[in-house]
Amino acid sequence: MNILELDELALRKGWGSLGEFWFSVKDFTIKEGSQLADYDCSQDMSRSEYLVSLGYIPYFSITSEEVIRAFAPTIENKKLKDKIENYNGSDYVDNFWKYFHIYAEISKNYITFEQKYIVNKAEEWCRQNGIDYELKVKL
């Protein structure tokens, strides 16, 4: 039975953009989209559809903004939380990192939150796709 090992490298690949990494159900490996560029697909099918037909699944993907938006409600300092949540677009992420470096309560809690978030996202992706996995990182 094949098992996907969710180690640091496998989790780090989740930070890629959607479609940047693909999971092979044949050999339980994570491939870069550029590695699969040589596959010649017909014009009546998108590249994604073609890769799925060959046994590849788009690997899970996470953005900094996604994690930060999930983290923001956990900030206990209401005034600080409100400041962060009032930003939009690229200002949201940029300003979060400014506060991250100024306020110890954010920097102390964010790193742990981020790692748990990534692991949860990877585990959810595995369950949704029926992929057996083993977590190889300590939380």
Side-chain angles (χ1 to χ4, degrees):
M1 178 167 88
N2 287 327
I3 294 177
L4 173 61
E5 292 185 358
L6 292 176
D7 57 13
E8 290 290 335
L9 181 60
L11 294 173
R12 201 170 321 123
K13 288 179 179 178
W15 287 103
S17 61
L18 188 61
E20 185 175 348
F21 290 98
W22 291 79
F23 177 77
S24 169
V25 295
K26 294 177 184 171
D27 63 8
F28 271 58
T29 59
I30 303 164
K31 311 266 190 208
E32 284 188 49
S34 61
Q35 287 178 292
L36 306 174
D38 293 339
Y39 289 115
D40 196 21
C41 88
S42 66
Q43 293 183 355
D44 62 335
M45 175 183 298
S46 73
R47 181 173 184 272
S48 294
E49 290 171 327
Y50 184 66
L51 290 175
V52 168
S53 76
L54 294 176
Y56 293 96
I57 301 170
Y59 196 53
F60 79 96
S61 174
I62 294 177
T63 65
S64 291
E65 183 174 354
E66 174 187 348
V67 179
I68 292 167
R69 286 197 183 277
F71 173 74
T74 70
I75 298 171
E76 293 178 8
N77 179 329
K78 183 176 174 8
K79 196 172 184 179
L80 180 56
K81 177 170 50 174
D82 289 346
K83 278 183 186 179
I84 290 171
E85 289 181 335
N86 282 327
Y87 290 106
N88 292 311
S90 63
D91 287 343
Y92 186 82
V93 174
D94 293 342
N95 283 296
F96 173 80
W97 290 118
K98 289 176 187 173
Y99 290 116
F100 174 88
H101 292 292
I102 295 169
Y103 292 92
E105 68 184 86
I106 292 178
S107 53
K108 183 177 86 173
N109 297 328
Y110 179 78
I111 301 300
T112 302
F113 179 91
E114 180 186 74
Q115 185 165 17
K116 287 179 183 177
Y117 188 90
I118 295 166
V119 166
N120 289 337
K121 184 95 174 197
E123 289 177 324
E124 178 184 325
W125 177 84
C126 287
R127 286 190 296 275
Q128 288 174 344
N129 289 288
I131 297 167
D132 294 321
Y133 67 92
E134 182 178 351
L135 189 59
K136 294 285 195 170
V137 295
K138 295 183 192 238
L139 296 177

